[in-house]
Amino acid sequence: MLTPDMSVDMRTYLAHVELANPITTAAGCAASGAELAQFFDLARLGALVTRSITMAPRAGRPTPRMAETPSGMLNAVGLQGPGVDAFLELELPRLVERGARAVVSIAGGSVAEYTALARRLADAPGVAAIEVNLSCPNVEDLGRVFARDPAASAEVVAAVRTTMRYDVPVVAKLAPDVADIVAVARACVDGGADALAMINTPLGMSIDVDTMRPSLAAGTGGLSGPAIRPLAVRCLWQVHAALPGVPLVGMGGVLTGRDALELILAGACVVAVGTALFHDPYACLRILRELEDLLKERGFERLADAVGLAHRPPGAGPRHRIDLEESSL
Amino acid sequence: MQVTGTVLTTRRVDAYHALTVVAPGIAERFRPGHFVSVAVGGPRTSMPTRRAFSVHDVKPDYGGTVELVFSVRGAGTSWLAERKARDSLDLVGPLGRPFPVPRDPCACVLVGGEYGSASLFSLADTLQQRGCRVDFVLGAASADRVFGALRARRMGETTTLTTEDGSLGLRGRVTDVLPSVIADARADVVYASGPMPMLRGVTAVAVEFDIPVQVSVEESMACGYGVCMTCVLPVLGDDGVTRMVRSCVEGPVFRGERVRFEDIGTIPFDALGAPGGRAQEGGAHTRHVS
Ligand SMILES: Cc1cc2nc3c(=O)[nH]c(=O)nc-3n(C[C@H](O)[C@H](O)[C@H](O)COP(=O)(O)OP(=O)(O)OC[C@H]3O[C@@H](n4cnc5c(N)ncnc54)[C@H](O)[C@@H]3O)c2cc1C
Ligand SMILES: Cc1cc2nc3c(=O)[nH]c(=O)nc-3n(C[C@H](O)[C@H](O)[C@H](O)COP(=O)(O)O)c2cc1C
Ligand code: FES
């Protein structure tokens, strides 16, 4: 029997890179780690995923950039950031010094720009993985978002994959508001993605009925928070069912350990926390603790045994319980 | 730091609500100009973003208390207005860049609009302890929205009040009376806290007199500690370059003349990384990027 004080093996793999635990920050929700480091030791995270880095510095979108919505928020930050040079000089080295595993998110407007970013990051020490933010408008396709087009997504992923060092996994980050997420997922894997992350924010909008104008200066914005969790679960479920061997990073409205477990049961082996960080700087550590307790209560010895478990056929008992009975003989 | 505080007292002050919360860690580190962010809606809230409030008062009782003064605007502040003594409240703070205070005694004019004056009294206290002269100018739309007039009268060398409807003090705005207050006090510096249009006007007056002005701005914030990038405004740096800076960590207190008030709500074309700007070659479009 599993005794209550036994700890669960929380290790997980992002492709071949081992993470001490499955909880990471979500891109764009923890900047480059310096602010969170005031609250806790970043080495306690599975990984810190940076904001999406662009080639040139970017001022982002005009304000207001944020509007709260029921159990969520809309944002139109527009990838404000210092550009890759300043990131490599000032931000990444600090992150590595702090002992964090750094997953670097990149964003571009063309295949060439993603390739150039990958080239700049290829030799940077301390990059545990690259996450390719595909929710960016393709300037060569009238601003159509890469993530909505399987072929364009695959092209970006292939370019980054061939440019990055072979031992740095490339994670393709997908958007949920597409006609067929499995088609985009499959195209990215065929293009060489070692893992997939989902979901980025679906596009939403709110209108202030007092001013009778859109709440955001940009009009539309990305919806995040608990409001989108069912969308994340659905996407993970569909992609895990179609591509069971591909490691998935799940995100979308995770506030508690229970929410993280839901995404894991749908197929995620890593869970990223975004909007919850705005509410609670310690959210990642709390969620990790709650997740470990929930796994323990359910008799799991390893996190890995829970990944995708909801896909087992109806009527089949939870796999781990059978294991337990056998091992206690 | 994050603190689960206990509400000690609640009271109404004219149009405002005031909450005193036991929050030792925050009270201890507080300096005038700091703010706190409050989680609203309880444990199963549907409001994921914290609300920012400046700290009105800090007292040593019960290991340290902070008092917030607020007006009800939407769902979050309505919830806050329903808090009772002994309820617990989740606070993060102290946050932001506080008001810089002069090393040597000098004459300071403190300008507050609406609840903005709440953050000025602890500042006045600090300034007076350093031997500074303090004059107040407080204003609002109507008498019930002028916060802290009595306290200002007690503390200030002079106190000038303005209301737009004339129900208290002079009819008009703080900027109408500010030039004469600055002149009479021979002011060396102006501090201001209140709505953005007021800060813009106060800055213009201070620039006219060629004296420094420190303003505490109010931008919509999701995180309050620098990670979400939603609270930015265009500010001119020491190097002459305009950047979109975060008002929660680089502010909320800025040198007024550095804030490009007229460009708030836009990305000035000459800001670092502006679309089409010189730093943007090879940069991506900005449409629908999240
Ligand atoms: C540094 C700072 C200090 C402040 N100090 C005070 C104070 O002392 N007293 C006081 O009454 N108010 C203060 N405010 C404004 C206060 O934060 C808003 O009134 C409050 O967030 C409104 O919340 P709500 O749920 O009632 O309104 P809603 O409109 O429902 O809020 C929705 C969302 O918008 C954000 N938001 C809306 N208005 C503002 C605003 N003006 N500023 C920042 N965020 C906003 C909220 O945080 C929330 O995420 C301050 C704001 C800042 C940035
Ligand atoms: C303010 C904000 C900024 C974001 N910036 C990025 C970004 O730069 N790159 C990216 O891939 N995703 C970005 N995202 C999306 C998040 O990484 C995440 O996919 C999404 O918010 C869903 O998770 P959540 O509900 O836990 O926030 C951003 C989200 C928010 C709220
Ligand atoms: S409020 Fe999040 S960065 Fe300022």
Side-chain angles (χ1 to χ4, degrees), chain A residues 278, chain B residues 220-232 246-249:
Chain A
F278 305 159
Chain B
S220 191
M221 296 180 175
C223 75
Y225 67 99
V227 292
C228 75
M229 309 301 287
T230 60
C231 63
V232 299
R246 295 164 298 178
S247 55
C248 67
V249 288

Side-chain angles (χ1 to χ4, degrees), chain A residues 65 68 80 137 201 277 279, chain B residues 49-50 225 229 244 287 290:
Chain A
R65 290 179 170 182
E68 198 178 64
Q80 180 174 346
T201 49
L277 290 171
H279 192 83
Chain B
T49 60
R50 285 174 174 269
Y225 67 99
M229 309 301 287
M244 300 304 292
R287 274 203 305 155
S290 57

Side-chain angles (χ1 to χ4, degrees), chain A residues 119-134:
Chain A
R119 201 170 294 126
R120 294 301 317 276
L121 289 162
D123 295 318
V127 179
I130 293 285
E131 185 176 278
V132 184
N133 177 359
L134 292 167

Side-chain angles (χ1 to χ4, degrees), chain B residues 28-42:
Chain B
E28 202 175 286
R29 292 180 178 78
F30 169 80
R31 284 201 281 143
H34 273 142
F35 70 97
V36 295
S37 68
V38 183
V40 291

Side-chain angles (χ1 to χ4, degrees), chain B residues 20 31 48 52 70 97 117 136 143 150 164 172 185 189 214 231 234:
Chain B
T20 307
R31 284 201 281 143
F70 61 95
R97 172 181 177 264
S117 44
F136 281 100
L150 275 177
E164 278 164 47
V189 55
Q214 298 282 346
C231 63

